[in-house]
Amino acid sequence: MATNTKQLLKSHSLRITPFREQVLQLFIDESAAISSRKIQDELEDADRITIYRTLKSFVDKGLVHEAFDGTDTPKYALCEDHCDEHAHHDQHVHFHCDKCDQTFCVEEVEVPYITTPQGFKVNSTNIVLKGKCESCNSK
Ligand SMILES: [Zn+2]
Ligand SMILES: [Zn+2]
Ligand SMILES: [Zn+2]
């Protein structure tokens, strides 16, 4: 079944615009996480502010999440079905490939519960695995 961009935007209470559809399609087509630079390269007539706002609204509405990979460049990936505008539930680890610099969601691996010293409150846990991705590893 092909994923419908209009439907995804609608179900996340996002107004449908051609630009949002184009950006969302990039996320659907790409197995790795995407930086705003990459969106700019792919959609040549896009300016940085529009991309920034689009990504922010996608994150706010639970459509994409930041795929934290420990690099200076924030990258984003599509959320699983159960995220919405109220909360993200992306409790999986991310994998950063040192060779091709791509970042992947590893949804099979959940972030473990980590206990902290008394008085510390955890809001989010980011776990990054580093190494070679499948395609780099098979070269
Ligand atoms: Zn999410
Ligand atoms: Zn790689
Ligand atoms: Zn992820």
Coordinates of all heavy atoms in Angstrom, one line a residue, residues 22-60:
Q22 N 5.7 17.5 -0.6 CA 7.0 17.2 -1.2 C 8.0 16.8 -0.1 O 8.7 15.8 -0.3 CB 7.6 18.4 -1.9 CG 7.0 18.6 -3.3 CD 7.7 19.9 -3.9 OE1 7.5 21.0 -3.4 NE2 8.3 19.7 -5.0
V23 N 8.0 17.5 1.0 CA 8.9 17.2 2.1 C 8.6 15.9 2.7 O 9.5 15.0 2.9 CB 8.9 18.3 3.2 CG1 9.8 17.9 4.4 CG2 9.4 19.6 2.6
L24 N 7.3 15.6 2.9 CA 6.9 14.4 3.5 C 7.2 13.2 2.6 O 7.7 12.1 3.1 CB 5.4 14.4 3.8 CG 4.8 13.2 4.5 CD1 5.5 12.9 5.7 CD2 3.3 13.5 4.7
Q25 N 7.1 13.4 1.3 CA 7.4 12.3 0.4 C 8.9 12.0 0.4 O 9.3 10.8 0.3 CB 7.1 12.8 -1.1 CG 7.1 11.7 -2.1 CD 6.1 10.6 -1.8 OE1 4.9 10.8 -1.6 NE2 6.6 9.3 -1.7
L26 N 9.8 13.0 0.7 CA 11.2 12.7 0.9 C 11.4 11.7 2.0 O 12.2 10.8 2.0 CB 12.0 14.0 1.1 CG 12.2 15.0 0.0 CD1 13.0 16.1 0.5 CD2 13.0 14.3 -1.2
F27 N 10.7 12.0 3.1 CA 10.8 11.2 4.3 C 10.4 9.8 4.0 O 10.9 8.8 4.5 CB 10.0 11.8 5.5 CG 10.7 12.9 6.2 CD1 10.3 14.2 6.0 CD2 11.8 12.6 7.1 CE1 11.0 15.2 6.7 CE2 12.5 13.6 7.7 CZ 12.1 14.9 7.5
I28 N 9.3 9.7 3.2 CA 8.7 8.3 2.9 C 9.7 7.5 2.0 O 9.9 6.3 2.2 CB 7.3 8.5 2.3 CG1 6.3 9.1 3.3 CG2 6.8 7.1 1.7 CD1 5.0 9.6 2.7
D29 N 10.3 8.2 1.1 CA 11.2 7.6 0.1 C 12.5 7.2 0.7 O 13.2 6.3 0.2 CB 11.4 8.5 -1.1 CG 10.2 8.7 -1.9 OD1 9.2 7.9 -1.7 OD2 10.1 9.6 -2.7
E30 N 12.9 7.9 1.7 CA 14.3 7.7 2.3 C 14.3 6.8 3.5 O 13.5 7.0 4.4 CB 14.8 9.1 2.6 CG 16.3 9.2 3.0 CD 17.2 8.8 1.9 OE1 17.1 9.5 0.8 OE2 18.0 7.9 2.1
S31 N 15.2 5.9 3.5 CA 15.2 5.0 4.7 C 16.1 5.6 5.8 O 15.9 5.2 6.9 CB 15.8 3.6 4.3 OG 17.1 3.8 3.8
A32 N 17.0 6.5 5.4 CA 17.8 7.1 6.4 C 17.2 8.5 6.9 O 16.3 9.0 6.3 CB 19.2 7.4 5.9
A33 N 17.6 9.0 8.0 CA 17.2 10.3 8.5 C 17.6 11.4 7.6 O 18.7 11.3 6.9 CB 17.6 10.5 10.0
I34 N 16.9 12.5 7.6 CA 17.1 13.6 6.7 C 17.5 14.9 7.4 O 16.8 15.2 8.3 CB 15.9 13.8 5.8 CG1 15.6 12.5 4.9 CG2 16.0 15.0 4.9 CD1 14.3 12.6 4.1
S35 N 18.5 15.6 6.9 CA 18.8 16.9 7.4 C 18.1 18.0 6.6 O 17.7 17.7 5.5 CB 20.3 17.1 7.4 OG 20.8 17.1 6.1
S36 N 18.1 19.2 7.1 CA 17.4 20.3 6.4 C 18.3 20.6 5.1 O 17.7 21.0 4.1 CB 17.2 21.5 7.2 OG 18.5 22.0 7.6
R37 N 19.6 20.4 5.2 CA 20.5 20.6 4.0 C 20.0 19.6 2.9 O 20.0 20.0 1.7 CB 21.9 20.2 4.5 CG 22.9 20.1 3.5 CD 23.7 21.3 3.3 NE 23.4 21.8 2.0 CZ 23.7 23.1 1.6 NH1 24.2 23.9 2.4 NH2 23.5 23.5 0.4
K38 N 19.7 18.4 3.3 CA 19.3 17.4 2.3 C 18.0 17.8 1.6 O 17.8 17.7 0.4 CB 19.2 16.1 3.0 CG 18.4 15.0 2.2 CD 19.3 13.9 1.6 CE 18.4 12.9 0.9 NZ 19.2 12.1 0.0
I39 N 17.1 18.4 2.4 CA 15.8 18.8 1.8 C 16.1 20.0 0.9 O 15.5 20.0 -0.2 CB 14.9 19.3 3.0 CG1 14.5 18.1 3.8 CG2 13.6 19.9 2.4 CD1 13.7 18.4 5.1
Q40 N 17.0 20.9 1.3 CA 17.3 22.0 0.4 C 17.9 21.5 -0.9 O 17.7 22.0 -2.0 CB 18.3 22.9 1.1 CG 18.1 24.3 0.8 CD 19.0 25.2 1.7 OE1 19.8 24.7 2.6 NE2 19.0 26.5 1.4
D41 N 18.8 20.5 -0.8 CA 19.4 19.9 -2.1 C 18.3 19.3 -3.0 O 18.4 19.4 -4.2 CB 20.5 18.9 -1.7 CG 21.7 19.5 -1.1 OD1 21.8 20.8 -1.2 OD2 22.5 18.8 -0.5
E42 N 17.4 18.6 -2.4 CA 16.4 17.8 -3.1 C 15.4 18.7 -3.7 O 14.9 18.5 -4.9 CB 15.7 16.8 -2.3 CG 16.6 15.7 -1.7 CD 17.0 14.6 -2.7 OE1 16.1 14.4 -3.6 OE2 18.1 14.1 -2.7
L43 N 14.9 19.7 -2.9 CA 13.9 20.6 -3.4 C 14.5 22.0 -3.7 O 14.6 22.8 -2.8 CB 12.7 20.7 -2.4 CG 12.2 19.4 -1.8 CD1 11.2 19.8 -0.7 CD2 11.5 18.6 -2.9
E44 N 14.9 22.2 -4.9 CA 15.8 23.3 -5.2 C 15.2 24.7 -4.9 O 16.0 25.6 -4.7 CB 16.3 23.2 -6.6 CG 17.5 22.2 -6.6 CD 17.8 21.7 -8.0 OE1 17.3 22.4 -9.0 OE2 18.6 20.8 -8.2
D45 N 13.9 24.8 -5.0 CA 13.4 26.1 -4.9 C 13.0 26.4 -3.4 O 12.3 27.4 -3.1 CB 12.2 26.4 -5.8 CG 11.1 25.3 -5.7 OD1 11.4 24.3 -5.0 OD2 10.0 25.4 -6.2
A46 N 13.4 25.6 -2.5 CA 13.0 25.8 -1.1 C 14.0 26.7 -0.4 O 15.2 26.5 -0.5 CB 13.0 24.4 -0.4
D47 N 13.5 27.6 0.4 CA 14.4 28.4 1.2 C 14.5 27.8 2.7 O 13.6 27.1 3.1 CB 14.0 29.9 1.2 CG 12.7 30.1 2.0 OD1 11.6 29.9 1.3 OD2 12.7 30.4 3.2
R48 N 15.6 28.2 3.3 CA 15.9 27.6 4.6 C 14.8 27.8 5.7 O 14.5 27.0 6.5 CB 17.2 28.1 5.1 CG 18.4 27.6 4.4 CD 19.7 28.2 4.8 NE 19.9 27.8 6.2 CZ 21.0 28.1 6.9 NH1 22.0 28.7 6.3 NH2 21.1 27.8 8.2
I49 N 14.2 29.1 5.7 CA 13.2 29.4 6.7 C 12.0 28.5 6.5 O 11.4 28.0 7.5 CB 12.8 30.9 6.5 CG1 14.0 31.8 6.6 CG2 11.7 31.2 7.6 CD1 14.7 31.9 8.0
T50 N 11.5 28.3 5.2 CA 10.4 27.5 5.0 C 10.6 26.1 5.4 O 9.8 25.4 6.0 CB 10.0 27.5 3.5 OG1 10.0 28.9 3.0 CG2 8.6 26.9 3.2
I51 N 11.8 25.6 5.1 CA 12.2 24.2 5.5 C 12.2 24.1 7.0 O 11.6 23.1 7.6 CB 13.6 23.8 4.9 CG1 13.5 23.7 3.4 CG2 14.0 22.5 5.5 CD1 14.9 23.6 2.8
Y52 N 12.8 25.1 7.7 CA 12.8 25.1 9.1 C 11.4 25.0 9.7 O 11.1 24.2 10.6 CB 13.6 26.3 9.6 CG 13.6 26.5 11.1 CD1 14.4 25.8 11.9 CD2 12.6 27.4 11.7 CE1 14.4 26.0 13.3 CE2 12.6 27.6 13.1 CZ 13.4 26.8 13.9 OH 13.4 27.0 15.2
R53 N 10.5 25.9 9.2 CA 9.2 25.9 9.7 C 8.4 24.6 9.5 O 7.6 24.2 10.3 CB 8.4 27.1 9.1 CG 8.9 28.4 9.6 CD 7.8 29.5 9.3 NE 8.3 30.8 9.7 CZ 8.4 31.8 8.8 NH1 8.0 31.7 7.6 NH2 8.9 33.0 9.2
T54 N 8.6 24.1 8.3 CA 8.0 22.8 7.9 C 8.4 21.7 8.9 O 7.6 21.0 9.4 CB 8.3 22.5 6.5 OG1 7.9 23.6 5.6 CG2 7.5 21.2 6.0
L55 N 9.7 21.6 9.1 CA 10.2 20.6 10.0 C 9.7 20.8 11.4 O 9.3 19.8 12.1 CB 11.7 20.6 10.0 CG 12.4 20.0 8.8 CD1 13.9 20.2 8.8 CD2 12.1 18.5 8.6
K56 N 9.6 22.0 11.8 CA 9.2 22.3 13.2 C 7.7 21.9 13.3 O 7.3 21.2 14.3 CB 9.3 23.8 13.5 CG 9.0 24.1 15.0 CD 9.4 25.5 15.3 CE 9.1 25.7 16.8 NZ 7.8 25.3 17.3
S57 N 6.9 22.2 12.3 CA 5.5 21.8 12.4 C 5.3 20.3 12.4 O 4.5 19.7 13.0 CB 4.6 22.5 11.4 OG 5.0 22.1 10.1
F58 N 6.1 19.6 11.6 CA 6.1 18.2 11.5 C 6.5 17.5 12.9 O 5.8 16.6 13.3 CB 7.1 17.6 10.5 CG 6.6 17.7 9.0 CD1 5.4 18.4 8.7 CD2 7.3 17.1 8.0 CE1 5.0 18.5 7.4 CE2 6.8 17.1 6.7 CZ 5.7 17.9 6.4
V59 N 7.5 18.1 13.5 CA 7.9 17.6 14.8 C 6.8 17.9 15.9 O 6.4 17.0 16.7 CB 9.2 18.2 15.3 CG1 9.6 17.9 16.7 CG2 10.4 17.8 14.4
D60 N 6.2 19.1 15.8 CA 5.2 19.5 16.8 C 4.0 18.6 16.7 O 3.3 18.3 17.7 CB 4.7 21.0 16.5 CG 5.8 22.0 17.0 OD1 6.7 21.6 17.7 OD2 5.6 23.2 16.6

